[in-house]
Structures are given as structure tokens and as C-alpha cells.
Amino acid sequence: MSKQPKVLATEAALQLIEKLKAKYGPLMFHQSGGCCDGSSPMCYPQGDLIIGDSDVLLGEIGGCPFYISAAQYEYWKHTQLIIDVVPGRGGMFSLEGPEGVRFLTRSRVFGE
């Protein structure tokens, strides 16, 4: 039985990631836990966000590491995060903002 990835991306998200990597170089993601940008996946140039001891590496999407805070992980540890792209403005610090689209987290509960 294969282990399901904790995070994956739709084809649209993977295409946007490639476009952003061509512009900005290596990228990283962090699932925002609220505050200014709500609960959304945030895309940064790799190394622009300091990852701390309380962050959990869920996996990679499009060759980019994807982190979530340990506290938020406790709520979502039984779910698979599916990163998608939709029209609109995303988090003001996330790199996709000028593209007229935003990353969006969808989820599904892991089964047996």
C-alpha cells in the first residue's frame, strides 16, 4: 500500500509554479494560518520566509517545498491538501498576485 502525499497540486497550479520559477527562481510555499491573508498557500522566493522549529514540511509541489505551522498541521493532519489556482487576488505577499490569479487550498480527508 503506497503512502498518499500530504500535499499535491493541480495541473493549473503546476503550470503557474513553472511560470513563477522562470521569473523568480527557486520557490517555497507556506500554508498561511490566518491573520492578514486568511488561510491560503503563500508562495515566496526560496529562503525569503524563515522556517522555524514549529513549521512542518508537508512535501513538495512542482519541486518546491511546502510548509505548514505545527499548530495548523494538528488540525489538518488527517487531510490531503490540494493546491489549485483560481482567478482573483491572493495574499498580498504571495508571488502570484500580479498574475491575476491566486493559489487556493482544497482538501480531502484521508480514508483508511
Side-chain angles (χ1 to χ4, degrees), residues 92-104:
M92 62 186 188
F93 300 113
S94 194
L95 292 177
E96 80 278 8
E99 305 298 323
V101 294
R102 66 185 180 96
F103 288 109
L104 175 76

Side-chain angles (χ1 to χ4, degrees), residues 39-77:
S39 184
S40 61
M42 304 292 287
C43 179
Y44 303 100
Q46 193 154 349
D48 270 18
L49 180 70
I50 298 172
I51 299 301
D53 292 340
S54 64
D55 290 307
V56 175
L57 176 63
L58 284 185
E60 290 188 353
I61 56 172
C64 307
F66 192 102
Y67 296 90
I68 188 171
S69 71
Q72 193 170 12
Y73 177 73
E74 280 303 307
Y75 289 112
W76 289 8
K77 66 185 174 186

Side-chain angles (χ1 to χ4, degrees), residues 8-40:
L8 52 86
T10 64
E11 187 59 36
L14 292 172
Q15 288 175 8
L16 180 56
I17 290 167
E18 288 306 312
K19 182 176 183 179
L20 295 173
K21 286 192 321 190
K23 275 185 166 179
Y24 301 104
L27 305 174
M28 63 184 293
F29 285 84
H30 194 280
Q31 177 65 42
S32 172
C35 184
C36 304
D37 294 314
S39 184
S40 61

